[in-house]
Amino acid sequence: MMPPQVLVVEDAAANMKLAVLLLGKAGYSVLQADNAMDGIALAREHQPDLILMDIQLPGMDGLTATRLLKENEATRHIKVIALTAFAMKGDEEKMIAAGCDGYIAKPIQYRNFLAQVEKILGRLGGGKETP
Ligand code: MN
């Protein structure tokens, strides 16, 4: 069975490194993009199961990118979790309005991070335990 594939769109190298490490250890196949345009192109080409989308990106921001993905027939089925450094009042509504299926607050905390990913992918209880 193919492992679920997760696309991470994140411009901060440290966050990207951590997300890729955690996802890889949990058995996911990981794709990476450091900007929205590359992320959208990878999503169309590879049809990942899930996209982790940083909200603050250089150029096109993550909410705009999510809106474009959700407006396109070829990519609208892909789940999107927003990665956000500051979830303030009203931000959750904005993320939902853009089409996000959930969000993870940064800094990334590994248990919560993987729990959110597994929840959205419906893998509850199916993931490997990391000691
Ligand atoms: Mn960023």
Side-chain angles (χ1 to χ4, degrees), residues 1-5 27 29 49:
M1 208 174 106
M2 295 269 287
Q5 190 171 53
S29 156
D49 299 287

Side-chain angles (χ1 to χ4, degrees), residues 104-125:
I104 294 175
K106 293 192 277 191
I108 290 169
Q109 291 169 311
Y110 93 94
R111 273 181 194 284
N112 175 57
F113 176 77
L114 288 178
Q116 290 284 351
V117 168
E118 286 179 11
K119 187 175 150 196
I120 215 94
L121 286 174
R123 276 180 98 211
L124 276 178

Side-chain angles (χ1 to χ4, degrees), residues 31-112:
L31 293 167
Q32 305 175 47
D34 67 2
N35 66 82
M37 295 309 289
D38 287 350
I40 289 170
L42 283 174
R44 287 185 181 152
E45 188 184 343
H46 294 275
Q47 300 284 310
D49 299 287
L50 173 66
I51 299 171
L52 298 179
M53 180 73 78
D54 182 26
I55 295 303
Q56 291 186 290
L57 292 166
M60 185 191 295
D61 67 85
L63 290 184
T64 303
T66 300
R67 202 170 287 120
L68 290 176
L69 289 164
K70 293 293 184 177
E71 280 171 4
N72 191 307
E73 204 61 54
T75 49
R76 69 161 28 128
H77 61 283
I78 303 170
K79 303 271 193 217
V80 178
I81 297 182
L83 295 176
T84 179
F86 49 94
M88 303 208 290
K89 208 171 169 65
D91 282 1
E92 194 170 351
E93 286 78 1
K94 279 185 213 160
M95 290 186 266
I96 290 165
C100 295
D101 299 282
Y103 74 93
I104 294 175
K106 293 192 277 191
I108 290 169
Q109 291 169 311
Y110 93 94
R111 273 181 194 284
N112 175 57

